[in-house]
Amino acid sequence: MTTQNDNYLFTVTTFTNEDADRVATPLVLANSALANGKDVLIWLTMEGVELAKKGAAKTLTPKSFSPVSELLDTYIENGGRIGICPPCAQTHGLSDENKIDSAELMGAVAMLDETSGRQTFSF
């Protein structure tokens, strides 16, 4: 038996050009979900917070997908939300001055609240 769920959470934990497909894949899935009218949140943690740095997405070139910067731009333009782990942001030097405008700090309690009623995927 399957059930319909209109909410998705994609967690991104990595950010390397050697594994750019692992960063691109959740963006591809998230964009597909948004295009189908779903509510989507991408939560960035560990090295994944690098994706929220201005210009950083341009440094990743996936083997199997469109450039990460294009996927991210599409996601943002279509109303996708981005949450950032605050301790990880601090560890990786992410600040209000260098983060993309559409991303917001989202601590553990807020992120866990967001998981309610969402299908979750981690990359």
Side-chain angles (χ1 to χ4, degrees):
M1 181 173 142
T2 60
T3 59
Q4 178 71 24
N5 189 329
D6 292 338
N7 303 310
Y8 295 92
L9 170 68
F10 297 96
T11 301
V12 179
T13 62
T14 189
F15 190 85
T16 66
N17 209 34
E18 293 78 29
D19 205 8
D21 279 359
R22 189 176 295 269
V23 179
T25 299
L27 287 166
V28 169
L29 293 169
N31 282 329
S32 293
L34 284 174
N36 284 292
K38 309 303 183 186
D39 180 57
V40 182
L41 171 66
I42 290 179
W43 192 62
L44 308 175
T45 188
M46 300 186 303
E47 289 82 16
V49 301
E50 296 285 340
L51 183 61
K53 283 186 180 175
K54 290 178 183 172
K58 293 179 182 176
T59 67
L60 297 185
T61 307
K63 295 175 187 162
S64 304
F65 302 104
S66 299
V68 169
S69 60
E70 290 177 19
L71 294 169
L72 181 62
D73 288 347
T74 299
Y75 178 74
I76 293 167
E77 289 166 9
N78 288 317
R81 295 174 45 224
I82 300 170
I84 305 166
C85 167
C88 300
Q90 184 176 9
T91 298
H92 292 274
L94 187 65
S95 65
D96 285 338
E97 291 76 35
N98 67 357
K99 79 169 183 62
I100 57 177
D101 293 334
S102 57
E104 64 181 274
L105 294 176
M106 183 177 288
V109 172
M111 194 280 294
L112 289 171
D113 285 345
E114 287 283 352
T115 63
S116 179
R118 289 186 189 271
Q119 292 185 47
T120 61
F121 303 86
S122 294
F123 295 87

